Amino acid sequence: LTMENNKNEEKPLLFTLRRFHLSEDYGFLLPNPLSELPAFYGPWMEIANNLPHLIQSHQLRSRVYKMPQLSSQHLKGHRELRLAHLALSFITMGFVWQEGEVETVKLLPQNLAVPYWEISQMLGLPPILVHADFVLANWKKKNLNGNLDTIFSLPGGESLRGFILVTFLVEKAAAPGLKAVVQAGNAILQPDKEALHKALQEMAKAIKEMTDALKRITISYCLAFLLRWKDNPAMPGGLIYEGVSDEPMSYSGGSAAQSTVLHAFDELLTIRHSKESTAFLHRMRDYMPPHHRAFIEEIQSAPSLKQHILSSGNEKLRIAYNQCVSVLADLRTYHVAIVTKFIVIPSHWAGNFQINPPSSLQERGTGGSGILNFLKSVRDTTRAGIIQG
């Protein structure tokens, strides 16, 4: 009996999406997010649903100061917590940046900071607007035809809405690729050459579809609201979360580098970025939901796909692997083109306030990286992953 048990323990567990609360259809997106909280949280929702008007009329800060301090203990289940984090993240961003870079605040009032902190702790997310809020949980079906809309917005109207929803489509296009990551991991353990070849073809197809989705993007002025209070000259001291800590805290803003998708592909394909880029990307993992982080760690701890292909000497697998690396480099090349056009060249910026892009965004990007150098570097190190014949 003991021997039998040992045999079972040695058999590797099958890698599944479900184990990480991921959906075959939606990937890292939150499937069917809630757009309403219980009536008790009406004061939050009333402000969050009216942010563009409150920010443009310079009334948001005074509304937040009058907001009652609500306990987070009436929130039930993961989706209510995600909606509450989304709402308070949007309110916080609007509150801090209502007057642009000229008049930022140093303190987030207790009635907002305390529940925001509590909800963040429960979710394992930081108390700032992250990709997991802004894109992954900020969508709803507008009507029975399946037309999409955002749950919350900021000044920037249709262009901001378009930016969020196109990024949603990129994440959705990645879903079959994540399923292929899992299939590839299991095919290495089997080992099953045919299944592995098929998984790599599926993955390349998904990455190509992500690039096609990305081609629909226009970047809104309101990326200013994704700014951070870490390494930001407009907020040198960070932000004090009143009632949580007397010391200011610093966090990076929402960034595509917080999307788990490319981290997962990089890990499976054993793409090695420069020391500086790797440090930044690893820091961005702290801004992901814990089960998304765990998914990356699972891929990291699994047998190496690249090693498996090199030692198999299988030409068909090498070609399929190289195709994945090649389309991933193409996706990153397109990302460089978008950022050059919409963020680095200020003449492309125009918004409701008719101002230049925030200085820290031009130079550093919303997550705080030297944006163009970083994107070009990760594109080049991706391309270097090709296995030569």
Side-chain angles (χ1 to χ4, degrees):
L1 185 69
T2 315
M3 278 182 72
E4 193 57 44
N5 282 351
N6 284 347
K7 257 188 203 168
N8 288 345
E9 277 168 28
E10 282 163 25
K11 200 168 183 196
L13 266 174
L14 270 186
F15 188 19
T16 64
L17 288 174
R18 195 176 297 135
R19 222 166 88 210
F20 301 91
H21 311 287
L22 302 178
S23 145
E24 285 200 2
D25 296 325
Y26 290 101
F28 292 114
L29 291 159
L30 181 65
N32 306 313
L34 299 176
S35 54
E36 294 293 335
L37 284 177
F40 178 77
Y41 297 102
W44 293 351
M45 296 302 281
E46 216 174 290
I47 292 175
N49 283 321
N50 201 19
L51 282 172
H53 168 71
L54 291 172
I55 292 164
Q56 283 162 323
S57 58
H58 303 271
Q59 295 173 50
L60 176 61
R61 286 181 186 166
S62 58
R63 281 290 298 273
V64 167
Y65 288 126
K66 292 178 198 148
M67 196 171 78
Q69 186 170 330
L70 304 175
S71 163
S72 58
Q73 68 184 31
H74 304 292
L75 293 163
K76 305 236 179 324
H78 183 73
R79 290 193 307 157
E80 278 192 10
L81 284 169
R82 288 288 289 275
L83 179 58
H85 195 273
L86 175 67
L88 298 186
S89 295
F90 265 78
I91 293 169
T92 297
M93 277 296 169
F95 180 86
V96 171
W97 299 105
Q98 175 180 291
E99 307 301 328
E101 286 185 303
V102 287
E103 206 189 298
T104 53
V105 291
K106 292 186 171 64
L107 182 135
L108 202 63
Q110 184 163 328
N111 56 348
L112 174 54
V114 169
Y116 191 21
W117 178 263
E118 288 171 356
I119 290 160
S120 299
Q121 294 293 106
M122 285 187 260
L123 286 169
L125 287 172
I128 192 169
L129 183 67
V130 291
H131 180 81
D133 300 308
F134 188 64
V135 176
L136 303 185
N138 189 23
W139 65 279
K140 61 183 179 184
K141 288 181 179 148
K142 199 158 52 170
N143 50 36
L144 294 172
N145 300 335
N147 293 343
L148 296 174
D149 204 355
T150 55
I151 296 170
F152 302 125
S153 197
L154 290 163
E158 280 305 300
S159 59
L160 178 68
R161 191 176 150 275
F163 172 71
I164 296 170
L165 294 176
V166 169
T167 313
F168 164 92
L169 293 174
V170 174
E171 288 277 349
K172 189 148 186 338
L178 299 175
K179 194 175 163 188
V181 165
V182 166
Q183 288 164 339
N186 291 330
I188 294 167
L189 294 174
Q190 297 293 326
D192 182 338
K193 284 194 181 76
E194 280 313 306
L196 181 54
H197 184 257
K198 186 168 182 290
L200 291 172
Q201 285 182 315
E202 288 299 317
M203 187 169 147
K205 185 177 166 208
I207 297 169
K208 194 172 176 314
E209 281 173 10
M210 287 168 68
T211 308
D212 291 342
L214 195 56
K215 287 180 177 169
R216 299 166 65 170
I217 213 155
T218 56
I219 301 229
S220 162
Y221 153 78
C222 260
L223 280 181
F225 282 100
L226 302 195
L227 284 170
R228 60 206 183 276
W229 24 100
K230 182 180 174 70
D231 308 326
N232 190 334
M235 293 185 71
L239 184 69
I240 293 171
Y241 289 72
E242 188 185 29
V244 174
S245 167
D246 296 334
E247 292 299 309
M249 292 190 249
S250 299
Y251 295 101
S252 296
S255 155
Q258 294 169 2
S259 166
T260 316
V261 171
L262 295 186
H263 291 251
F265 292 153
D266 278 348
E267 289 300 343
L268 184 76
L269 298 169
T270 327
I271 302 295
R272 293 285 170 255
H273 299 300
S274 73
K275 194 176 168 187
E276 195 184 354
S277 297
T278 300
F280 171 69
L281 287 166
H282 280 227
R283 186 158 64 77
M284 290 298 101
R285 291 181 185 180
D286 296 337
Y287 292 77
M288 298 173 185
H291 54 281
H292 294 186
R293 269 201 307 276
F295 183 78
I296 304 169
E297 285 155 14
E298 180 78 6
I299 302 166
Q300 247 177 331
S301 64
S304 161
L305 167 68
K306 192 169 192 174
Q307 232 15 79
H308 178 80
I309 290 171
L310 284 166
S311 53
S312 78
N314 186 303
E315 183 64 5
K316 199 169 140 189
L317 286 179
R318 183 182 74 86
I319 290 166
Y321 169 90
N322 283 349
Q323 181 60 18
C324 289
V325 174
S326 176
V327 291
L328 186 56
D330 291 345
L331 173 64
R332 287 182 156 140
T333 296
Y334 195 75
H335 195 181
V336 169
I338 286 176
V339 169
T340 305
K341 182 176 176 187
F342 289 110
I343 294 181
V344 179
I345 303 168
S347 61
H348 281 275
W349 277 74
N352 300 335
F353 304 150
Q354 298 299 323
I355 59 170
N356 282 331
S359 54
S360 62
L361 183 56
Q362 288 181 75
E363 292 154 24
R364 308 288 301 167
T366 54
S369 61
I371 191 160
L372 261 191
N373 289 342
F374 165 73
L375 291 174
K376 285 176 178 170
S377 167
V378 294
R379 186 265 319 274
D380 294 344
T381 43
T382 302
R383 201 161 271 153
I386 293 276
I387 301 174
Q388 301 304 328

